Amino acid sequence: MRGLRRRLRSLRLTLELLLGRRLLLFALLDLTIVGAGLFSMLLQPEGAADSPYLWMFLLPCLALGLPALAGMVDVERRAGCLDLALSAPAAEVYFLRRAAAVGALMALQGGAVMLLAWLLSGRDFPLLSPLLSVAAVSVFLAAVALFWAVRLRSAGAVWLASTATVVLFGSWVFAAPIPPRFDSVYGPLLPGLEAALPWLGSVAVLSLSSALFFLYSRRRLRRPERMIS
C-alpha cells in the first residue's frame, strides 16, 4: 500500500510538472470526453462496437495525452536548467520516467474505460483485444513523444512532429481491435482467429516501432551535448 501511494504521488508530481496550472483543465476535459462517451454508449447500446475504444480511449490520448507528453524536455529548457538535468547521474532514467508515467496513466485509464464499457454493454465484445491495443498505443505515443522531445527545441514542435508520426502510423494506431458482430463470431475475451489477425498485426507493428523509438531516444539521452547545443 505504501509503495502504491508513493507511485501515485510520483505520478501526480510528474503531471503537475508537465502541465502546471493546466492540470485541472486537462483533468476536466478528460472527464468530459470519457463521460460523454459513456453517456452516448448508454443511449445507443446497439451502436458501433469500436466506439468505446475510439472515443473514450484514442480521443483523450491524442487530444490530451500527446500535448502533456510534448513538454517532457521543454520544461527544463524553458527554465534554463536542461544542462543541469542532463548532467545528473540518472538523467536518462529521469526523462524515461516521465514518458512511462504519462503512458501508464493513459493505459490505466484506457483499460478501466474498456472494462467499464464491456460490463455496461453486457460483455458484447471481446475484452482482451482492446486491452492489448490500449497498452500498445499508450506505449507507442509515449515513445514517439520522447523520441521527438529529445531532438526538438520546443513543446509545440514536439507536438506537431508527434502528431505527424501518429498520422503516418494511422493505419495501425486507428485500427479497431473490436470486430463488428455481423462480421465474425467471438467470445467474451477474444475474437476468432480470422478477426484477430488484423489487430494482432497492428499491435506487433506498434510494439516494434515503440521499441525502436525508445532505443533511439536513449541513445540521444546518452549524448547530452547534442541536446543542449
Side-chain angles (χ1 to χ4, degrees):
M1 183 62 70
R2 186 173 300 175
L4 178 59
R5 289 179 180 175
R6 186 167 55 250
R7 289 187 178 89
L8 291 176
R9 182 175 180 273
S10 176
L11 175 59
R12 178 179 61 81
L13 292 175
T14 298
L15 293 176
E16 288 179 349
L17 177 64
L18 293 177
L19 297 174
R21 296 179 180 179
R22 299 175 298 163
L23 178 57
L24 180 59
L25 175 62
F26 270 58
L28 291 176
L29 289 174
D30 186 39
L31 289 174
T32 300
I33 293 172
V34 174
L38 288 173
F39 186 69
S40 176
M41 182 180 176
L42 291 174
L43 291 180
Q44 298 177 343
E46 301 300 328
D50 58 353
S51 58
Y53 177 81
L54 294 175
W55 297 108
M56 290 186 283
F57 166 66
L58 270 183
L59 180 59
C61 285
L62 297 177
L64 303 174
L66 273 186
L69 286 163
M72 278 186 288
V73 178
D74 189 54
V75 171
E76 277 77 17
R77 195 184 298 277
R78 286 187 288 109
C81 59
L82 180 59
D83 54 344
L84 181 62
L86 291 173
S87 64
E92 181 183 345
V93 177
Y94 181 68
F95 291 104
L96 288 174
R97 188 178 297 168
R98 290 183 182 177
V102 180
L105 180 61
M106 291 190 295
L108 288 174
Q109 176 176 297
V113 164
M114 294 311 304
L115 179 60
L116 181 59
W118 183 66
L119 294 173
L120 290 176
S121 66
R123 303 178 183 181
D124 197 38
F125 60 85
L127 180 62
L128 191 56
S129 54
L131 290 182
L132 289 176
S133 295
V134 162
V137 170
S138 299
V139 173
F140 176 77
L141 294 179
V144 167
L146 181 63
F147 176 83
W148 290 114
V150 298
R151 284 167 170 78
L152 302 178
R153 299 186 65 85
S154 70
V158 173
W159 176 78
L160 286 174
S162 300
T163 302
T165 306
V166 170
V167 172
L168 184 64
F169 283 81
S171 57
W172 298 289
V173 173
F174 295 97
I178 307 173
R181 170 69 72 178
F182 52 81
D183 280 356
S184 61
V185 177
Y186 45 75
L189 294 179
L190 282 171
L193 179 60
E194 183 178 353
L197 289 177
W199 70 263
L200 280 175
S202 298
V203 168
V205 170
L206 294 177
S207 300
L208 178 60
S209 301
S210 299
L212 292 175
F213 280 124
F214 271 125
L215 175 63
Y216 282 104
S217 299
R218 293 185 64 185
R219 289 181 61 181
R220 184 79 170 188
L221 286 169
R222 290 171 181 173
R223 298 177 179 178
E225 68 280 357
R226 301 183 65 179
M227 293 178 59
I228 298 173
S229 59

